[in-house]
Coordinates of all heavy atoms in Angstrom, one line a residue:
M20 N 18.5 2.7 -1.1 CA 18.2 3.1 0.3 C 19.2 2.4 1.2 O 19.4 1.2 1.1 CB 16.7 2.8 0.6 CG 16.4 3.2 2.0 SD 14.6 3.1 2.4 CE 14.3 1.4 2.4
E21 N 19.7 3.2 2.1 CA 20.6 2.7 3.1 C 19.9 2.2 4.3 O 18.9 2.8 4.8 CB 21.6 3.8 3.5 CG 22.8 3.3 4.3 CD 23.7 4.4 4.6 OE1 24.0 5.2 3.7 OE2 24.1 4.6 5.8
R22 N 20.2 1.0 4.8 CA 19.6 0.4 5.9 C 20.0 1.1 7.2 O 21.2 1.4 7.4 CB 19.9 -1.1 6.0 CG 19.1 -1.7 7.0 CD 19.2 -3.2 6.9 NE 18.3 -3.8 7.9 CZ 17.3 -4.6 7.7 NH1 17.1 -5.0 6.5 NH2 16.5 -5.0 8.6
I23 N 19.0 1.5 8.1 CA 19.4 2.2 9.3 C 19.1 1.3 10.6 O 19.3 1.7 11.7 CB 18.7 3.5 9.4 CG1 17.2 3.4 9.3 CG2 19.2 4.5 8.4 CD1 16.4 4.7 9.5
T24 N 18.5 0.1 10.3 CA 18.2 -0.8 11.5 C 18.9 -2.1 11.2 O 19.2 -2.5 10.0 CB 16.7 -1.1 11.6 OG1 16.2 -1.7 10.4 CG2 16.0 0.2 11.9
K25 N 19.2 -2.8 12.3 CA 19.9 -4.1 12.1 C 19.3 -5.0 13.2 O 19.3 -4.7 14.4 CB 21.4 -4.0 12.3 CG 22.2 -5.2 12.1 CD 23.6 -4.9 12.2 CE 24.5 -6.2 12.0 NZ 25.9 -5.9 12.2
K26 N 18.8 -6.2 12.8 CA 18.3 -7.2 13.8 C 19.5 -8.0 14.3 O 20.4 -8.3 13.6 CB 17.3 -8.2 13.1 CG 16.0 -7.5 12.8 CD 15.1 -8.6 12.2 CE 13.8 -7.9 11.8 NZ 12.8 -8.9 11.3
N27 N 19.5 -8.2 15.6 CA 20.5 -9.1 16.2 C 19.8 -9.9 17.3 O 18.6 -9.9 17.4 CB 21.6 -8.3 16.8 CG 21.2 -7.2 17.8 OD1 20.3 -7.5 18.6 ND2 21.8 -6.1 17.8
E28 N 20.5 -10.7 18.0 CA 20.0 -11.7 19.0 C 19.2 -11.0 20.1 O 18.2 -11.5 20.7 CB 21.1 -12.5 19.7 CG 21.9 -13.4 18.7 CD 23.0 -12.6 18.0 OE1 23.5 -11.6 18.6 OE2 23.2 -12.9 16.8
T29 N 19.6 -9.7 20.5 CA 18.9 -9.0 21.6 C 17.8 -8.1 21.1 O 17.1 -7.6 21.9 CB 20.0 -8.2 22.3 OG1 20.5 -7.2 21.4 CG2 21.0 -9.1 22.9
G30 N 17.6 -7.9 19.8 CA 16.5 -7.1 19.3 C 16.9 -6.4 18.1 O 17.5 -7.0 17.2
I31 N 16.6 -5.1 18.0 CA 16.9 -4.3 16.8 C 17.8 -3.1 17.2 O 17.6 -2.4 18.1 CB 15.6 -3.7 16.2 CG1 14.7 -4.9 15.8 CG2 15.9 -2.8 15.0 CD1 13.3 -4.5 15.3
E32 N 18.9 -3.0 16.4 CA 19.8 -1.9 16.6 C 19.5 -0.8 15.6 O 19.3 -1.1 14.5 CB 21.3 -2.5 16.4 CG 22.4 -1.5 16.7 CD 23.7 -2.1 16.4 OE1 23.9 -3.3 16.9 OE2 24.5 -1.5 15.7
V33 N 19.5 0.4 16.1 CA 19.2 1.6 15.2 C 20.4 2.5 15.2 O 20.9 2.9 16.2 CB 18.0 2.3 15.8 CG1 17.6 3.5 14.9 CG2 16.8 1.4 15.9
N34 N 20.8 2.8 14.0 CA 22.0 3.8 13.8 C 21.6 5.2 14.1 O 22.3 5.9 14.7 CB 22.5 3.7 12.4 CG 23.1 2.3 12.1 OD1 23.6 1.6 13.0 ND2 23.1 2.0 10.8
N35 N 20.4 5.6 13.6 CA 20.0 7.0 13.8 C 18.5 7.0 14.1 O 17.6 6.8 13.2 CB 20.3 7.8 12.5 CG 19.9 9.2 12.6 OD1 19.0 9.6 13.3 ND2 20.6 10.1 11.8
I36 N 18.1 7.2 15.3 CA 16.7 7.1 15.8 C 15.8 8.1 15.1 O 14.7 7.8 14.7 CB 16.6 7.2 17.3 CG1 15.1 6.8 17.7 CG2 16.9 8.5 17.8 CD1 14.8 5.3 17.7
E37 N 16.3 9.3 14.9 CA 15.5 10.3 14.2 C 15.2 10.0 12.8 O 14.0 10.1 12.3 CB 16.2 11.7 14.3 CG 16.2 12.4 15.6 CD 17.4 11.8 16.5 OE1 18.3 11.2 15.9 OE2 17.3 12.0 17.7
E38 N 16.2 9.5 12.1 CA 16.0 9.0 10.7 C 15.0 7.8 10.6 O 14.2 7.7 9.8 CB 17.3 8.7 10.0 CG 17.1 8.4 8.5 CD 18.5 8.2 7.8 OE1 19.5 8.3 8.4 OE2 18.4 7.8 6.6
A39 N 15.2 6.9 11.6 CA 14.3 5.7 11.6 C 12.9 6.1 11.9 O 12.0 5.6 11.2 CB 14.8 4.8 12.7
L40 N 12.7 7.1 12.8 CA 11.3 7.6 13.0 C 10.7 8.2 11.8 O 9.5 8.1 11.5 CB 11.3 8.5 14.2 CG 11.5 7.8 15.6 CD1 11.7 8.9 16.6 CD2 10.4 6.9 15.9
E41 N 11.5 9.0 11.1 CA 11.1 9.7 9.9 C 10.7 8.7 8.8 O 9.6 8.8 8.2 CB 12.1 10.6 9.3 CG 11.8 11.3 8.0 CD 10.6 12.3 8.2 OE1 10.4 12.8 9.3 OE2 10.0 12.5 7.1
R42 N 11.5 7.7 8.6 CA 11.2 6.6 7.6 C 10.0 5.8 8.0 O 9.1 5.5 7.1 CB 12.4 5.7 7.4 CG 13.5 6.3 6.6 CD 14.4 5.2 6.2 NE 15.7 5.7 5.7 CZ 16.7 5.0 5.4 NH1 16.6 3.7 5.5 NH2 17.8 5.5 4.9
L43 N 9.8 5.5 9.3 CA 8.6 4.8 9.8 C 7.4 5.6 9.5 O 6.4 5.1 9.0 CB 8.7 4.5 11.2 CG 7.5 3.9 11.9 CD1 7.2 2.5 11.2 CD2 7.7 3.7 13.4
S44 N 7.5 6.9 9.7 CA 6.3 7.8 9.5 C 6.0 7.8 8.0 O 4.8 7.7 7.6 CB 6.7 9.2 9.9 OG 5.7 10.1 9.6
L45 N 7.0 7.9 7.1 CA 6.7 7.9 5.7 C 6.2 6.6 5.2 O 5.3 6.5 4.4 CB 8.1 8.2 4.9 CG 8.6 9.6 5.1 CD1 10.0 9.6 4.4 CD2 7.7 10.6 4.4
F46 N 6.7 5.5 5.8 CA 6.1 4.2 5.5 C 4.7 4.0 5.9 O 3.8 3.5 5.2 CB 7.0 3.0 6.1 CG 6.4 1.7 5.9 CD1 6.5 1.1 4.7 CD2 5.6 1.1 6.8 CE1 5.9 -0.1 4.4 CE2 5.0 -0.1 6.6 CZ 5.2 -0.8 5.3
E47 N 4.4 4.5 7.1 CA 3.0 4.5 7.6 C 2.1 5.3 6.7 O 1.0 4.9 6.3 CB 2.9 4.9 9.0 CG 3.4 3.9 10.0 CD 3.3 4.4 11.4 OE1 3.4 5.7 11.7 OE2 3.3 3.6 12.3
D48 N 2.5 6.4 6.2 CA 1.8 7.3 5.3 C 1.5 6.5 4.0 O 0.4 6.4 3.5 CB 2.5 8.5 4.9 CG 2.6 9.5 6.1 OD1 1.8 9.4 7.0 OD2 3.4 10.5 6.0
F49 N 2.5 5.8 3.5 CA 2.4 5.0 2.3 C 1.4 3.9 2.5 O 0.5 3.7 1.7 CB 3.8 4.4 1.9 CG 3.7 3.1 1.1 CD1 3.4 3.2 -0.3 CD2 4.0 1.9 1.6 CE1 3.4 2.1 -1.1 CE2 3.9 0.7 0.8 CZ 3.6 0.8 -0.5
Y50 N 1.5 3.1 3.6 CA 0.6 2.0 3.9 C -0.8 2.4 4.0 O -1.7 1.8 3.3 CB 1.1 1.3 5.1 CG 0.2 0.1 5.5 CD1 0.3 -1.1 4.8 CD2 -0.8 0.2 6.4 CE1 -0.5 -2.2 5.1 CE2 -1.6 -0.9 6.7 CZ -1.5 -2.1 6.1 OH -2.3 -3.1 6.3
F51 N -1.1 3.5 4.7 CA -2.5 3.9 4.9 C -3.0 4.5 3.7 O -4.2 4.4 3.4 CB -2.6 4.8 6.2 CG -2.5 4.0 7.4 CD1 -1.3 4.1 8.2 CD2 -3.5 3.2 7.8 CE1 -1.2 3.4 9.4 CE2 -3.3 2.4 9.0 CZ -2.2 2.6 9.8
D52 N -2.2 5.2 2.9 CA -2.6 5.7 1.6 C -3.0 4.5 0.7 O -4.0 4.6 -0.1 CB -1.6 6.6 0.9 CG -2.0 7.2 -0.3 OD1 -3.1 7.8 -0.3 OD2 -1.3 7.1 -1.4
L53 N -2.2 3.5 0.7 CA -2.5 2.3 -0.1 C -3.9 1.7 0.3 O -4.7 1.3 -0.6 CB -1.4 1.3 0.1 CG -1.4 0.1 -0.9 CD1 -1.1 0.5 -2.3 CD2 -0.3 -0.9 -0.4
I54 N -4.1 1.5 1.6 CA -5.4 1.0 2.0 C -6.6 1.9 1.6 O -7.6 1.5 1.2 CB -5.4 0.8 3.6 CG1 -4.3 -0.2 4.0 CG2 -6.7 0.4 4.1 CD1 -4.4 -1.5 3.4
H55 N -6.4 3.2 1.8 CA -7.4 4.2 1.3 C -7.7 4.1 -0.2 O -8.8 4.1 -0.6 CB -7.0 5.6 1.7 CG -7.9 6.7 1.2 ND1 -9.2 6.9 1.8 CD2 -7.8 7.6 0.2 CE1 -9.8 7.8 1.1 NE2 -9.0 8.3 0.2
Q56 N -6.6 3.9 -1.0 CA -6.8 3.8 -2.4 C -7.6 2.5 -2.7 O -8.5 2.6 -3.6 CB -5.4 3.6 -3.1 CG -4.7 4.9 -3.3 CD -3.3 4.6 -4.0 OE1 -3.2 3.6 -4.7 NE2 -2.4 5.4 -3.8
Q57 N -7.4 1.5 -2.0 CA -8.2 0.2 -2.2 C -9.6 0.5 -1.9 O -10.5 0.0 -2.7 CB -7.6 -0.9 -1.4 CG -6.3 -1.5 -1.8 CD -6.4 -2.1 -3.2 OE1 -6.3 -1.4 -4.2 NE2 -6.6 -3.4 -3.3
E58 N -9.9 1.2 -0.9 CA -11.3 1.5 -0.5 C -11.9 2.4 -1.6 O -13.1 2.1 -2.0 CB -11.4 2.2 0.8 CG -11.0 1.2 2.0 CD -10.8 2.0 3.3 OE1 -10.8 3.2 3.3 OE2 -10.5 1.3 4.3
E59 N -11.2 3.4 -2.1 CA -11.7 4.3 -3.1 C -11.9 3.5 -4.4 O -12.9 3.7 -5.1 CB -10.8 5.4 -3.3 CG -11.2 6.5 -4.3 CD -12.5 7.2 -4.0 OE1 -12.9 7.2 -2.8 OE2 -13.1 7.7 -4.9
I60 N -11.0 2.7 -4.8 CA -11.1 1.9 -6.0 C -12.3 1.0 -5.9 O -13.1 0.9 -6.9 CB -9.8 1.1 -6.3 CG1 -8.7 2.0 -6.7 CG2 -10.1 0.0 -7.3 CD1 -7.3 1.3 -6.8
S61 N -12.5 0.3 -4.8 CA -13.7 -0.5 -4.7 C -15.0 0.3 -4.8 O -16.0 -0.2 -5.5 CB -13.7 -1.2 -3.3 OG -12.6 -2.1 -3.2
R62 N -15.0 1.5 -4.2 CA -16.2 2.3 -4.4 C -16.5 2.7 -5.8 O -17.6 2.6 -6.3 CB -16.0 3.6 -3.5 CG -17.3 4.5 -3.5 CD -17.0 5.9 -2.9 NE -16.1 6.6 -3.8 CZ -16.3 7.2 -5.0 NH1 -17.5 7.0 -5.5 NH2 -15.4 7.8 -5.6
Q63 N -15.4 3.1 -6.5 CA -15.5 3.5 -7.9 C -16.0 2.3 -8.8 O -16.8 2.5 -9.7 CB -14.2 4.0 -8.5 CG -13.8 5.4 -7.9 CD -12.4 5.8 -8.4 OE1 -11.8 5.1 -9.2 NE2 -12.0 6.9 -7.9
M64 N -15.4 1.1 -8.5 CA -15.8 0.0 -9.3 C -17.2 -0.4 -9.1 O -17.9 -0.7 -10.1 CB -14.9 -1.2 -9.0 CG -13.4 -1.1 -9.5 SD -12.4 -2.4 -9.1 CE -13.0 -3.7 -10.1
K65 N -17.7 -0.4 -7.9 CA -19.1 -0.7 -7.6 C -20.0 0.3 -8.3 O -21.0 -0.1 -8.9 CB -19.3 -0.6 -6.1 CG -20.7 -1.0 -5.7 CD -20.9 -1.0 -4.2 CE -22.4 -1.3 -3.8 NZ -22.6 -1.2 -2.4
E66 N -19.7 1.6 -8.2 CA -20.5 2.6 -8.9 C -20.5 2.4 -10.4 O -21.6 2.4 -11.0 CB -19.9 4.0 -8.6 CG -20.7 5.1 -9.2 CD -20.1 6.5 -8.8 OE1 -19.8 6.7 -7.6 OE2 -19.8 7.3 -9.7
M67 N -19.4 2.0 -11.0 CA -19.3 1.8 -12.4 C -20.1 0.5 -12.8 O -20.7 0.4 -13.8 CB -17.9 1.7 -12.9 CG -17.1 3.0 -12.8 SD -15.4 2.9 -13.4 CE -15.7 3.2 -15.2
Q68 N -20.0 -0.5 -11.9 CA -20.8 -1.7 -12.2 C -22.3 -1.5 -12.1 O -23.1 -2.0 -13.0 CB -20.4 -2.8 -11.1 CG -19.1 -3.4 -11.3 CD -18.6 -4.2 -10.1 OE1 -19.3 -4.2 -9.0 NE2 -17.4 -4.8 -10.2
E69 N -22.7 -0.6 -11.2 CA -24.1 -0.3 -11.1 C -24.6 0.5 -12.3 O -25.8 0.4 -12.7 CB -24.4 0.5 -9.8 CG -24.3 -0.3 -8.5 CD -24.3 0.6 -7.3 OE1 -24.2 1.8 -7.4 OE2 -24.3 0.0 -6.2
N70 N -23.7 1.2 -12.9 CA -24.1 2.0 -14.1 C -23.7 1.3 -15.4 O -23.6 1.9 -16.5 CB -23.4 3.4 -14.1 CG -23.9 4.2 -12.9 OD1 -25.1 4.2 -12.6 ND2 -23.0 4.9 -12.3
A71 N -23.4 0.0 -15.3 CA -23.1 -0.8 -16.5 C -21.9 -0.2 -17.3 O -22.0 -0.1 -18.5 CB -24.3 -1.0 -17.4
Q72 N -20.9 0.2 -16.6 CA -19.7 0.8 -17.3 C -18.5 0.0 -17.2 O -17.3 0.4 -17.2 CB -19.4 2.2 -16.6 CG -20.5 3.2 -16.8 CD -20.3 4.5 -16.0 OE1 -19.6 4.5 -15.0 NE2 -20.8 5.6 -16.5
T73 N -18.7 -1.4 -17.1 CA -17.5 -2.3 -16.9 C -16.7 -2.5 -18.1 O -15.6 -3.1 -18.0 CB -18.0 -3.6 -16.3 OG1 -18.9 -4.2 -17.3 CG2 -18.7 -3.5 -15.0
R74 N -17.1 -2.0 -19.2 CA -16.3 -2.2 -20.5 C -15.5 -0.9 -20.8 O -14.7 -0.9 -21.7 CB -17.2 -2.5 -21.6 CG -17.9 -3.8 -21.6 CD -18.3 -4.2 -22.9 NE -18.8 -5.6 -23.0 CZ -18.0 -6.7 -23.2 NH1 -16.7 -6.5 -23.2 NH2 -18.6 -7.8 -23.3
Q75 N -15.6 0.1 -19.9 CA -14.8 1.3 -20.2 C -13.4 1.1 -19.8 O -13.0 0.3 -18.9 CB -15.4 2.5 -19.4 CG -16.8 2.9 -19.9 CD -17.3 4.1 -19.2 OE1 -16.6 4.7 -18.3 NE2 -18.4 4.6 -19.6
Y76 N -12.5 1.9 -20.4 CA -11.1 1.9 -20.2 C -10.8 2.2 -18.7 O -10.0 1.6 -18.1 CB -10.4 2.9 -21.1 CG -8.9 3.1 -20.8 CD1 -8.0 2.1 -21.2 CD2 -8.5 4.1 -20.0 CE1 -6.7 2.2 -20.9 CE2 -7.1 4.3 -19.7 CZ -6.2 3.3 -20.2 OH -4.9 3.4 -19.9
R77 N -11.5 3.2 -18.1 CA -11.2 3.6 -16.7 C -11.5 2.4 -15.8 O -10.8 2.2 -14.8 CB -12.1 4.8 -16.4 CG -12.0 5.2 -14.9 CD -10.7 5.9 -14.7 NE -10.6 6.3 -13.3 CZ -9.5 6.1 -12.5 NH1 -8.4 5.7 -13.0 NH2 -9.6 6.5 -11.3
Y78 N -12.5 1.6 -16.1 CA -12.8 0.5 -15.2 C -11.7 -0.5 -15.2 O -11.3 -1.1 -14.2 CB -14.2 -0.2 -15.6 CG -14.6 -1.3 -14.7 CD1 -15.3 -1.1 -13.6 CD2 -14.3 -2.6 -15.0 CE1 -15.7 -2.1 -12.7 CE2 -14.7 -3.7 -14.2 CZ -15.4 -3.4 -13.1 OH -15.7 -4.4 -12.2
R79 N -11.2 -0.8 -16.4 CA -10.1 -1.7 -16.6 C -8.8 -1.2 -15.9 O -8.1 -1.9 -15.3 CB -9.8 -2.0 -18.0 CG -10.9 -2.8 -18.7 CD -10.5 -3.1 -20.1 NE -11.8 -3.3 -20.9 CZ -12.0 -3.1 -22.1 NH1 -11.0 -2.6 -22.8 NH2 -13.1 -3.3 -22.7
E80 N -8.6 0.1 -16.0 CA -7.5 0.7 -15.4 C -7.5 0.6 -13.9 O -6.5 0.2 -13.2 CB -7.4 2.2 -15.8 CG -6.2 3.0 -15.3 CD -6.3 4.4 -15.8 OE1 -7.3 5.1 -15.6 OE2 -5.2 4.9 -16.3
I81 N -8.6 0.9 -13.3 CA -8.7 0.8 -11.8 C -8.7 -0.6 -11.3 O -8.2 -0.9 -10.2 CB -9.9 1.7 -11.2 CG1 -11.2 1.2 -11.7 CG2 -9.7 3.1 -11.5 CD1 -12.4 1.9 -11.0
S82 N -9.2 -1.5 -12.2 CA -9.2 -2.9 -11.8 C -7.7 -3.4 -11.7 O -7.3 -4.1 -10.8 CB -9.9 -3.8 -12.8 OG -11.3 -3.5 -12.9
A83 N -6.9 -3.0 -12.7 CA -5.5 -3.3 -12.7 C -4.8 -2.7 -11.5 O -3.9 -3.3 -10.9 CB -4.8 -2.9 -14.0
Q84 N -5.1 -1.5 -11.1 CA -4.5 -0.8 -10.0 C -4.9 -1.6 -8.7 O -4.1 -1.7 -7.8 CB -5.0 0.6 -9.9 CG -4.3 1.4 -8.8 CD -2.8 1.5 -9.0 OE1 -2.3 1.9 -10.0 NE2 -2.0 1.2 -8.0
K85 N -6.1 -2.0 -8.6 CA -6.5 -2.8 -7.4 C -5.7 -4.1 -7.3 O -5.3 -4.4 -6.2 CB -8.0 -3.1 -7.5 CG -8.6 -3.8 -6.3 CD -10.1 -3.9 -6.3 CE -10.5 -4.5 -5.0 NZ -12.0 -4.5 -4.9
V86 N -5.5 -4.8 -8.4 CA -4.7 -6.0 -8.4 C -3.2 -5.7 -7.9 O -2.7 -6.4 -7.1 CB -4.7 -6.7 -9.7 CG1 -3.7 -7.8 -9.8 CG2 -6.1 -7.2 -10.1
T87 N -2.7 -4.6 -8.5 CA -1.3 -4.2 -8.1 C -1.2 -3.9 -6.6 O -0.3 -4.3 -5.9 CB -0.9 -3.0 -9.0 OG1 -1.0 -3.3 -10.4 CG2 0.5 -2.5 -8.6
N88 N -2.2 -3.1 -6.2 CA -2.2 -2.8 -4.7 C -2.3 -4.0 -3.9 O -1.7 -4.1 -2.8 CB -3.4 -1.8 -4.4 CG -3.1 -0.4 -5.0 OD1 -2.1 -0.1 -5.5 ND2 -4.1 0.4 -4.9
N89 N -3.2 -5.0 -4.3 CA -3.3 -6.2 -3.5 C -2.0 -7.0 -3.5 O -1.7 -7.6 -2.4 CB -4.4 -7.1 -4.1 CG -5.8 -6.7 -3.6 OD1 -5.9 -6.2 -2.5 ND2 -6.8 -6.9 -4.5
V90 N -1.2 -7.0 -4.5 CA 0.0 -7.7 -4.5 C 1.0 -7.0 -3.5 O 1.6 -7.7 -2.7 CB 0.7 -7.6 -6.0 CG1 2.1 -8.1 -5.9 CG2 -0.1 -8.5 -6.9
I91 N 1.0 -5.7 -3.5 CA 1.9 -5.0 -2.5 C 1.4 -5.3 -1.1 O 2.2 -5.6 -0.2 CB 1.8 -3.5 -2.8 CG1 2.5 -3.2 -4.2 CG2 2.5 -2.7 -1.7 CD1 2.3 -1.7 -4.7
I92 N 0.1 -5.2 -0.9 CA -0.4 -5.5 0.5 C -0.1 -6.9 0.9 O 0.3 -7.2 2.1 CB -1.9 -5.2 0.5 CG1 -2.2 -3.7 0.4 CG2 -2.6 -5.8 1.8 CD1 -3.6 -3.4 0.2
N93 N -0.2 -7.9 0.0 CA 0.2 -9.3 0.3 C 1.7 -9.4 0.6 O 2.0 -10.2 1.5 CB -0.3 -10.2 -0.8 CG -1.8 -10.4 -0.8 OD1 -2.4 -10.3 0.2 ND2 -2.3 -10.7 -2.0
I94 N 2.5 -8.7 -0.1 CA 3.9 -8.8 0.2 C 4.2 -8.2 1.6 O 5.0 -8.8 2.4 CB 4.8 -8.0 -0.8 CG1 4.7 -8.8 -2.2 CG2 6.2 -7.8 -0.4 CD1 5.3 -8.0 -3.4
L95 N 3.5 -7.1 1.9 CA 3.7 -6.5 3.3 C 3.2 -7.5 4.4 O 3.9 -7.6 5.4 CB 3.0 -5.2 3.4 CG 3.5 -4.1 2.5 CD1 2.6 -2.9 2.5 CD2 4.9 -3.7 2.9
K96 N 2.1 -8.1 4.1 CA 1.6 -9.1 5.1 C 2.5 -10.3 5.3 O 2.7 -10.8 6.4 CB 0.2 -9.6 4.6 CG -0.9 -8.7 4.8 CD -2.2 -9.2 4.4 CE -3.3 -8.2 4.6 NZ -4.6 -8.7 4.1
K97 N 3.2 -10.7 4.2 CA 4.2 -11.7 4.3 C 5.3 -11.4 5.3 O 5.8 -12.3 5.9 CB 4.8 -12.0 2.9 CG 5.9 -13.0 2.8 CD 6.5 -13.1 1.4 CE 7.8 -13.9 1.4 NZ 8.4 -13.8 0.1
Y98 N 5.6 -10.1 5.4 CA 6.6 -9.7 6.3 C 6.0 -9.2 7.7 O 6.7 -8.6 8.5 CB 7.5 -8.5 5.7 CG 8.4 -9.0 4.6 CD1 8.0 -9.1 3.3 CD2 9.7 -9.5 5.0 CE1 8.9 -9.6 2.3 CE2 10.5 -10.0 4.0 CZ 10.1 -10.0 2.7 OH 11.0 -10.5 1.7
G99 N 4.8 -9.5 7.9 CA 4.1 -9.2 9.1 C 3.7 -7.8 9.3 O 3.4 -7.4 10.4
I100 N 3.6 -7.1 8.2 CA 3.1 -5.7 8.2 C 1.7 -5.7 7.7 O 1.4 -5.9 6.6 CB 4.0 -4.8 7.3 CG1 5.5 -4.9 7.8 CG2 3.6 -3.4 7.3 CD1 6.5 -4.4 6.8
K101 N 0.8 -5.3 8.6 CA -0.6 -5.3 8.2 C -1.4 -4.3 9.1 O -1.0 -3.9 10.1 CB -1.3 -6.6 8.3 CG -1.0 -7.4 9.5 CD -1.5 -8.8 9.4 CE -1.0 -9.5 10.6 NZ -1.2 -10.9 10.7

């Protein structure tokens, strides 16, 4: 991916504002989808726990996805994106 913004002493320089807005929009879609996935995974895990299905493959799979999503969210928070 080619960088379209550049930080300098006075702020942020943008090479192509339309492309920057498009990428920001896509990033926001990604971020909010990730948050929604976490909520959905938590709901599914709770439901499976209530039905004593924690030994099933699907439970382990969504547990791993939740951990992966948490890692991504923590990296984004490290850069001030939350």
Side-chain angles (χ1 to χ4, degrees):
M20 177 167 71
E21 191 176 315
R22 188 169 184 124
I23 56 174
T24 62
K25 183 178 180 183
K26 290 183 182 181
N27 57 36
E28 299 81 33
T29 60
I31 299 173
E32 184 180 312
V33 179
N34 295 333
N35 182 334
I36 190 74
E37 290 81 20
E38 186 178 354
L40 290 172
E41 178 65 25
R42 283 195 195 174
L43 175 60
S44 174
L45 292 171
F46 176 78
E47 287 178 333
D48 291 345
F49 158 75
Y50 179 78
F51 287 108
D52 185 52
L53 191 64
I54 298 302
H55 175 72
Q56 281 181 25
Q57 287 297 84
E58 293 167 356
E59 181 62 21
I60 288 170
S61 293
R62 185 195 63 73
Q63 289 176 2
M64 289 179 71
K65 183 178 179 184
E66 185 178 305
M67 291 181 85
Q68 289 167 353
E69 290 170 353
N70 294 323
Q72 297 175 332
T73 57
R74 292 200 172 276
Q75 291 188 358
Y76 174 78
R77 178 71 180 139
Y78 185 85
R79 292 183 204 150
E80 183 180 49
I81 62 175
S82 295
Q84 185 63 51
K85 186 172 184 175
V86 170
T87 302
N88 289 354
N89 276 331
V90 169
I91 294 168
I92 290 168
N93 286 332
I94 291 170
L95 294 173
K96 285 180 181 178
K97 176 182 169 186
Y98 286 92
I100 302 166
K101 47 189 169 186

